């Protein structure tokens, strides 16, 4: 609410943000509000990476991203909150849209159907929204829980632009998205 500086806009709540929500799949398709997650990254305009807690926001009752907020956790910046806004004229897919696209991917959907049989259960990990330059990378781990009840990391799903891939490791998924030239950077 408090990012609105115009009193009229604030009073009418015309630009109200809500915490982004995300869905799972199958019988767990209800929306859940995202929890803040910790990561290490270089914030826009900074020289060094730092430990942060991050949370994406969407406009009220919409599924596109409007901003992401970080709580800084390092040194002199400890406890500072920063909000990074997306331009209103640009449509940026939010976590619920990306989760829907993942569920609609034919190859991923087929594999999930196979894993969700005979005593196994697919468990979705936290969907991470990772800002990279002027774009977003979405990463979601996928676990498989058998009758032993201990989930095992099975695959990692990465979405970037219109591409969605699933691979055994994050490294493999990033190579599929960005090509072999990224291999040396990993």
């Amino acid at each position: 609410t408090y990012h609105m500086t115009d009193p009229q806009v604030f009073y009418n709540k015309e630009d109200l943000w809500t915490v982004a929500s995300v869905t799972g799949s199958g019988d767990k398709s209800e929306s859940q509000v995202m929890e803040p997650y910790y990561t290490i990254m270089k914030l826009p305009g900074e020289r060094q990476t730092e430990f942060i807690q991050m949370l994406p926001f969407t406009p009220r009752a919409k599924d596109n991203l409007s901003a992401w907020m970080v709580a800084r956790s390092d040194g002199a910046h400890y406890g500072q909150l920063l909000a990074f806004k997306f331009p209103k004229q640009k449509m940026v897919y939010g976590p619920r849209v990306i989760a829907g696209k993942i569920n609609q991917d034919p190859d991923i959907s087929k594999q999930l159907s196979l894993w969700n049989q005979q005593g196994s259960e697919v468990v979705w990990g936290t969907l991470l929204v990772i800002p990279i330059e002027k774009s977003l990378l979405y990463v979601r781990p996928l676990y498989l829980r058998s009758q032993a009840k201990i989930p095992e990391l099975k695959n990692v799903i990465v979405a970037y632009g219109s591409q969605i891939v699933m691979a055994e490791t994050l490294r493999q998924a990033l190579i599929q998205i960005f090509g072999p030239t990224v291999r040396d950077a990993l």
Side-chain angles (χ1 to χ4, degrees), residues 73-90:
S73 301
D74 280 345
H77 303 294
Y78 182 80
Q80 289 181 351
L81 296 176
L82 297 174
F84 297 91
K85 300 177 189 178
F86 292 104
K88 288 185 182 184
Q89 63 275 15
K90 184 177 179 186

Side-chain angles (χ1 to χ4, degrees), residues 89-155:
Q89 63 275 15
K90 184 177 179 186
M91 174 63 159
V92 179
Y93 291 141
R96 194 177 347 197
V97 174
I98 295 299
K101 287 181 172 289
I102 289 170
N103 288 334
Q104 292 171 0
D105 183 275
D107 296 328
I108 294 173
S109 178
K110 183 173 99 177
Q111 188 62 51
L112 294 177
S113 294
L114 289 173
W115 283 336
N116 266 327
Q117 296 178 14
Q118 300 175 4
S120 293
E121 176 189 9
V122 172
V123 179
W124 293 94
T126 301
L127 177 67
L128 304 176
V129 182
I130 304 168
I132 299 177
E133 296 297 326
K134 296 190 182 285
S135 59
L136 294 172
L137 181 74
Y138 295 87
V139 177
R140 191 166 204 187
L142 198 96
Y143 301 90
L144 193 58
R145 182 179 9 217
S146 65
Q147 295 169 347
K149 302 290 183 198
I150 299 173
E152 174 188 346
L153 179 64
K154 199 66 178 169
N155 283 91

